[in-house]
Amino acid sequence: MNTPNNEPLRLSKRMSELGLCSRREADEWISRGWVRVDGKVVSELGTKILPDQHITIERQAAAEQSKRVTVLINKPVGYVSGQAEDGYEPAICMVTVENRWEEDKLPIHFHPTQLRSLVPAGRLDIDSTGLLVLTQDGRIAKHLIGQDTSVEKEYLVRVSYSKGGTLPDADLKRLNHGLWLDGKALLPAKVRWQNEDQLNFILKEGKKRQIRRMCEAVGLTVIGLKRVRIGRVKLGNLPEGKWRYLSETEMF
């Protein structure tokens, strides 16, 4: 009888767990005959394997994966991160030859095929600006928005205090740890004053409109919100409305 540690699981799920690719990519590679388990080609979707079985991928899969691009955008207000909604354009509309940052010197030529399966790895709401990642690489998406992610995201948040005077230290401490949203305690954050009307937030989670709702809970109104860093990748000097490619040397 199998123990929980050696129960069979779907090959595509195991490949994703190992960081080889996303589950969608895994299914594509399996159907093309690019995946071997213990040296034997497995081409049937839904195949289950044991966790200790050895998985290898063919060179074609690695070559195809290396062609996948990741794009960094400095999103302006008024664009949505993903699918078009309520008449607003999605951020991917900005990924054109003309909109590429002039200082992006990577030797990658833009081609419309790069827009296929180019999806946001995390959200940035319509009223917010700053760093937004769009990627074709399932490994990057999983790293940034998977259930177990612990990647830091840093924001500059301009605020006004609705109760007069200044925000009490006790409420600043609550922003760091002690607030609840949607019936759940938030993970500890790092929140400090950047200057007299701007806070610096560093979070390891991303609930919908989380920073705005955190601020509301302590009597602050958000006037402007800009994401400036995801992991080790910074927005830097990328102008608003422009985009560039993520280089091979940059790691989140």
Side-chain angles (χ1 to χ4, degrees), residues 204-223:
K204 288 189 176 181
E205 60 188 333
K207 295 183 183 296
K208 191 170 183 180
R209 298 178 80 83
Q210 178 173 336
I211 291 176
R212 295 175 191 277
R213 294 164 69 195
M214 289 172 72
C215 287
E216 284 170 13
V218 296
L220 291 170
T221 301
V222 172
I223 297 166

Side-chain angles (χ1 to χ4, degrees), residues 4 6 51 89 104 134 138 148 166 198 210 217 225 227-228 246-247:
N6 69 351
E89 287 189 306
D104 183 4
L134 301 179
D148 302 324
T166 57
Q198 188 168 241
Q210 178 173 336
L225 191 156
R227 184 157 62 202
V228 295
L246 182 78
S247 73

Side-chain angles (χ1 to χ4, degrees), residues 154-174:
E154 183 176 355
Y155 304 81
L156 297 179
V157 186
R158 199 165 296 283
V159 294
S160 66
Y161 189 47
S162 59
K163 299 179 182 178
T166 57
L167 182 74
D169 287 344
D171 282 338
L172 183 63
K173 286 179 180 174
R174 286 176 66 211

Side-chain angles (χ1 to χ4, degrees), residues 17-189:
E17 283 179 356
L18 292 170
L20 296 172
C21 57
S22 69
R23 291 176 74 163
R24 185 176 62 188
E25 285 173 322
D27 282 337
E28 185 182 324
W29 295 356
I30 291 165
S31 65
R32 292 191 183 188
W34 291 351
V35 180
R36 293 177 182 264
V37 177
D38 293 338
K40 294 182 180 177
V41 173
V42 174
S43 56
E44 187 177 333
L45 294 178
T47 296
K48 292 192 173 185
I49 67 164
L50 295 172
D52 60 356
Q53 289 187 271
H54 185 58
I55 302 169
T56 52
I57 59 172
E58 301 293 331
R59 282 197 303 271
Q60 299 99 307
E64 184 159 299
Q65 197 170 49
S66 71
K67 294 179 199 166
R68 298 182 188 275
V69 300
T70 297
V71 163
L72 309 176
I73 297 178
N74 186 346
K75 187 189 87 66
V77 167
Y79 285 84
V80 291
S81 300
Q83 298 293 320
E85 54 186 73
D86 300 329
Y88 292 105
E89 287 189 306
I92 196 171
C93 289
M94 288 181 278
V95 184
T96 63
V97 175
E98 298 78 21
N99 251 12
R100 185 177 178 182
W101 188 27
E102 299 80 6
E103 293 187 29
D104 183 4
K105 303 303 183 188
L106 287 182
I108 303 174
H109 293 289
F110 175 75
H111 193 275
T113 55
Q114 293 168 357
L115 299 175
R116 289 185 204 147
S117 304
L118 190 68
V119 295
R123 293 175 60 87
L124 197 56
D125 71 51
I126 194 167
D127 300 316
S128 301
T129 68
L131 185 58
L132 180 67
V133 178
L134 301 179
T135 186
Q136 291 180 314
D137 192 329
R139 297 168 301 175
I140 288 176
K142 182 173 185 284
H143 181 60
L144 295 185
I145 58 176
Q147 284 185 335
D148 302 324
T149 185
S150 60
V151 176
E152 287 186 345
K153 287 139 186 129
E154 183 176 355
Y155 304 81
L156 297 179
V157 186
R158 199 165 296 283
V159 294
S160 66
Y161 189 47
S162 59
K163 299 179 182 178
T166 57
L167 182 74
D169 287 344
D171 282 338
L172 183 63
K173 286 179 180 174
R174 286 176 66 211
L175 286 173
N176 279 271
H177 194 208
L179 293 178
W180 288 57
L181 286 183
D182 304 324
K184 289 185 178 178
L186 294 176
L187 295 176

